[in-house]
Amino acid sequence: MQDVLIYITNLLAVIIIIPFYRVLKGPTVFDRVLGVGAIGTKTLVLICLVGFIYGRLEMFIDIALAYAVLNFISVLAIAKYFKNYRKGA
C-alpha cells in the first residue's frame, strides 16, 4: 500500500508542473491566477497523501485545511485587486 501511495504522490508532484507552466507563460493575469489555484488544489491532495504515508492523517488534514483557506483567500484577494485595478484605469 505504501508503494502505491508513494507512486501516486510522485505522479501528482509531476502533474503540478502543468499548471506551473501556465503560471509562468500564461497569456493573461487571469490564466496565471487560475494556474495558482490549480497548483493549490493539487498541493492540498499532495499534503493528504503525505499524511496517509506517514500514518498521521489527522495532523495533515489540519495543515491541508489551513492551506486551502489561505489559497482560497489569496486567489480572492488577487481577483478583487485586479477587478478594482481595471475600474481605476
Side-chain angles (χ1 to χ4, degrees), residues 49-69:
L49 284 173
V50 170
F52 270 118
I53 291 171
Y54 284 112
R56 306 226 19 211
L57 185 61
E58 64 278 354
M59 183 180 83
F60 282 89
I61 287 289
D62 292 339
I63 294 170
L65 287 174
Y67 184 79
V69 169

Side-chain angles (χ1 to χ4, degrees), residues 1 9-12 14-15 19 22 27 34-36 42 50 61 69 73 78-81 88-89:
M1 185 68 179
T9 303
N10 288 333
L11 183 67
L12 192 59
V14 171
I15 289 174
R22 177 60 69 186
L34 196 64
V36 168
K42 289 173 184 25
V50 170
I61 287 289
V69 169
I73 290 171
I78 291 170
K80 186 163 180 99
Y81 171 77

Side-chain angles (χ1 to χ4, degrees), residues 8-83:
I8 292 171
T9 303
N10 288 333
L11 183 67
L12 192 59
V14 171
I15 289 174
I16 287 177
I17 293 172
I18 297 168
F20 186 70
Y21 178 77
R22 177 60 69 186
V23 170
L24 290 178
K25 300 285 182 178
T28 65
V29 173
F30 297 109
D31 290 331
R32 293 178 178 179
V33 171
L34 196 64
V36 168
I39 289 173
T41 304
K42 289 173 184 25
T43 304
L44 194 73
V45 175
L46 196 64
I47 291 171
C48 290
L49 284 173
V50 170
F52 270 118
I53 291 171
Y54 284 112
R56 306 226 19 211
L57 185 61
E58 64 278 354
M59 183 180 83
F60 282 89
I61 287 289
D62 292 339
I63 294 170
L65 287 174
Y67 184 79
V69 169
L70 287 175
N71 186 33
F72 179 70
I73 290 171
S74 66
V75 169
L76 282 181
I78 291 170
K80 186 163 180 99
Y81 171 77
F82 282 111
K83 179 182 170 189

